[in-house]
DNA sequence: CCTATCTTGTGAATCAATTCACAAGCCCCG
DNA sequence: CGGGGCTTGTGAATTGATTCACAAGATAGG
């Protein structure tokens, strides 16, 4: 398959949310124009985005909401559950651990890890916080799909190395630094510091 | 000034972090090549990014770390403090309220707001949680630069409307939905659901 | 069954971002 | 003070993403 642009995947994710809203509202059919209006883009963009994956509509009519929803779920890999562990149970990690958005989309939190002995063994949200040293063995016993990195910047690369060493192939990081992983590991970073600076830049440059 | 691409601003933010690291390491001079290596890009990209704002280096020599750091801070609007309020003091809002990254970069949290009567009046991190209804008056008395939206998806658009109505011009949202603001208000969204789905897509489509 | 009206799917054209490649400038050394 | 070795800054070329524009289907109504 041809490489799909990041911007396209982001929009697919938006479309899926809109489709779910349309489905809840009882609509059975939707046009690329309606999807575009909802997402602040153009109908051509919507059709082009979808066209990378196939041809899902009927000319003159639009798309079946239920069908397109399911197709999008399949495309985005949301038809299965993902086993997720959280590394670092400070404030951010704890907030993530109980974030409903994870579970809703099939991201099941199956483990909490920390390196702080004071936290290891503690019960949180029906899980026992375990030492990060046991991650490799745990992963062998019952494989994990995604590790969420929620440790301080200074500890993040070490944590990532341990996650990679344990054999986990997907990482979502909230550490505000540039992390390095082997090419076969997928890393996705949400860098809050960067987002704040982007906002600061935009506010500073309003004419 | 010519419009600056979002991707460029994101990289500037990275460069700044690297420059600070170089400065801490005692380096006085740095080349576009070294910055590029650190950030996983190319030296031409680094020079092009900087060229939108001026010409900061010396041919044959590179850039003065201290000078470039300061220039980047100015460009990103980080030479001043920003007054920030957090709207919604649930788990995410509370985690953000005590996140050190904010203060470190000059984003000072000066207010916490919620609509839940059970939370209003409560003391958190040296601030008293106030009713979101009082935001407009508070902003008139002492202007706020940025509002961080940390309420559930269903309440987010209403919260944004109140923030906009209060006259605040910068918004950073963590709600997993598409929000609408007037053109003169700057909105920056971190959509965790979208990031997870991006990861899911990438993991599902490894060769 | 024919016509009018929609809306998709997609090459072609445009617009935007990145990379190339090299002249220009600076430092150092002999 | 002149030549060699670097590295910047930037037009030109390339690569990538978005928008345009229209033929191809599909439906509905008479």
């Amino acid at each position: 398959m041809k490489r799909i642009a990041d911007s396209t995947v982001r929009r697919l994710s938006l479309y899926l949310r809109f489709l779910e809203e349309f489905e809840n509202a009882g609509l059975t059919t939707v046009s690329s124009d309606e999807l575009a209006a909802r997402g602040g883009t153009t109908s051509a963009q919507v059709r082009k985005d979808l066209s990378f994956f196939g041809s899902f509509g009927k000319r003159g009519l639009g798309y079946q909401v239920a069908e397109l929803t399911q197709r999008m779920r399949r495309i985005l890999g949301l038809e299965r559950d993902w086993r997720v562990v959280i590394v670092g149970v400070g404030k951010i990690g704890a907030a993530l651990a109980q974030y409903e958005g994870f579970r809703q989309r099939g991201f099941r939190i199956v483990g909490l890890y920390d390196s702080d002995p004071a936290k290891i063994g503690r019960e949180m949200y029906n899980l026992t916080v375990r030492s990060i040293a046991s991650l490799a063995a745990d992963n062998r016993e019952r494989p994990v799909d995604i590790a969420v990195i929620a440790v301080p910047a200074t500890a993040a690369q070490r944590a990532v190395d341990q996650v990679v060493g344990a054999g986990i192939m997907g990482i979502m990081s909230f550490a505000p630094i540039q992390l390095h992983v082997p090419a076969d590991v997928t890393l996705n970073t949400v860098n809050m510091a960067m987002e704040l600076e982007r906002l600061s830049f935009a506010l500073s440059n309003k004419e």
Side-chain angles (χ1 to χ4, degrees), chain A:
Chain A
M1 191 204 284
K2 191 170 159 298
R3 199 188 110 55
I4 303 296
D6 205 69
S7 46
T8 297
V9 181
R10 293 192 129 92
R11 282 191 300 267
L12 292 182
S13 180
L14 275 185
Y15 301 156
L16 174 55
R17 188 111 334 101
F18 301 151
L19 285 165
E20 287 168 345
E21 287 176 20
F22 288 138
E23 201 166 28
N24 287 340
L27 295 176
T28 62
T29 218
V30 72
S31 69
S32 57
D33 222 22
E34 291 167 303
L35 272 175
R38 193 73 186 65
T41 177
T42 67
S43 64
Q45 179 79 79
V46 171
R47 293 199 302 277
K48 182 67 87 180
D49 286 340
L50 296 179
S51 77
F52 294 129
F53 302 95
S55 150
F56 309 126
K58 277 211 171 58
R59 295 172 188 227
L61 197 59
Y63 303 89
Q64 290 303 110
V65 172
E67 190 206 332
L68 191 55
T69 304
Q70 198 189 325
R71 297 278 201 155
M72 300 294 290
R73 282 231 184 76
R74 173 164 308 154
I75 289 166
L76 289 170
L78 299 174
E79 279 190 321
R80 51 164 288 188
D81 274 7
W82 295 94
R83 293 172 50 84
V84 177
V85 296
I86 292 180
V87 179
V89 292
K91 283 277 162 48
I92 299 282
L96 291 171
Q98 58 83 62
Y99 174 56
E100 264 311 301
F102 277 105
R103 177 166 301 268
Q104 267 171 29
R105 296 245 155 225
F107 296 85
R108 286 174 38 221
I109 295 172
V110 298
L112 303 176
Y113 293 84
D114 208 297
S115 59
D116 178 356
K119 287 178 181 154
I120 294 167
R122 197 182 290 179
E123 282 283 324
M124 290 176 78
Y125 317 114
N126 299 320
L127 292 168
T128 305
V129 177
R130 292 173 59 76
S131 162
I132 194 165
S134 55
L135 187 56
D138 292 356
N139 183 56
R140 264 194 301 278
E141 197 177 307
R142 192 89 171 73
V144 167
D145 302 301
I146 294 170
V148 174
I149 305 292
V151 303
T154 49
Q157 184 62 57
R158 168 185 297 269
V160 164
D161 293 345
Q162 283 172 296
V163 163
V164 169
I168 298 173
M169 302 303 282
I171 298 177
M172 170 113 194
S173 164
F174 289 89
I177 62 161
Q178 191 78 350
L179 294 166
H180 301 277
V181 295
D184 60 342
V185 174
T186 301
L187 169 67
N188 190 351
T189 299
V190 173
N191 188 332
M192 212 115 83
M194 183 184 289
E195 299 301 328
L196 280 171
E197 291 174 13
R198 230 151 59 73
L199 190 53
S200 164
F201 176 80
L203 289 172
S204 301
N205 292 285
K206 299 210 175 176
E207 71 270 39

